[in-house]
Amino acid sequence: LEGYNSGKKFKFRASSPTECQDIVATLQRMVRQAIDTHKRQTNWQKSQQEVARIFNSSPFQMSSALLIFANFLFNVIQNQTLPQEGTAEGKLFEDIDLAFTIIFTVE
């Protein structure tokens, strides 16, 4: 099982060999528990974790921020130009607004 700390080396400072053994035993028990928990996860839980990982990633967050800014810009332009309903320009802004609504709903 590959994890965040997989393959990393750590140094622990213990006051005695017994304390060192206790630390190692505790860590080994925690690793076994984590592996058991991971194995018991349903596909739905694994999917939720993957979606959460993607959603919390920097590229996704930056893309969301960029979309919000672009939506704001189009709203400013629309309110400055005040296109008439039924015109090609009015239809364009309606379509852009619908596209942003769909994107934000999916997000």
Side-chain angles (χ1 to χ4, degrees), residues 4-6 8 10 12 14 20-21 30 33 40-41 43 48 53 56 71 76-77 85 87 90 93 100-101 104:
Y4 180 76
N5 292 315
S6 180
K8 290 185 179 180
F10 296 91
F12 298 99
C20 181
Q21 290 171 347
M30 291 172 70
Q33 287 174 344
R40 285 191 308 263
Q41 285 182 325
N43 287 337
Q48 283 180 318
R53 185 189 64 76
N56 292 323
N71 186 32
V76 168
I77 294 168
E85 285 188 37
T87 63
F93 281 107
F100 277 116
T101 300
F104 289 134

Side-chain angles (χ1 to χ4, degrees), residues 73-85:
L73 254 162
F74 277 108
N75 283 324
V76 168
I77 294 168
Q78 181 180 15
N79 286 311
Q80 289 297 314
T81 59
L82 296 173
Q84 297 293 319
E85 285 188 37

Side-chain angles (χ1 to χ4, degrees), residues 14-61:
S15 61
S16 69
T18 303
E19 183 183 16
C20 181
Q21 290 171 347
D22 290 344
I23 291 171
V24 170
T26 299
L27 289 172
Q28 287 173 337
R29 188 181 75 254
M30 291 172 70
V31 167
R32 281 192 304 275
Q33 287 174 344
I35 289 171
D36 290 344
T37 299
H38 180 74
K39 286 180 181 177
R40 285 191 308 263
Q41 285 182 325
T42 64
N43 287 337
W44 176 254
Q45 289 170 320
K46 290 176 185 176
S47 298
Q48 283 180 318
Q49 285 182 340
E50 183 64 17
V51 168
R53 185 189 64 76
I54 292 168
F55 183 79
N56 292 323
S57 70
S58 292
F60 187 87
Q61 295 295 318

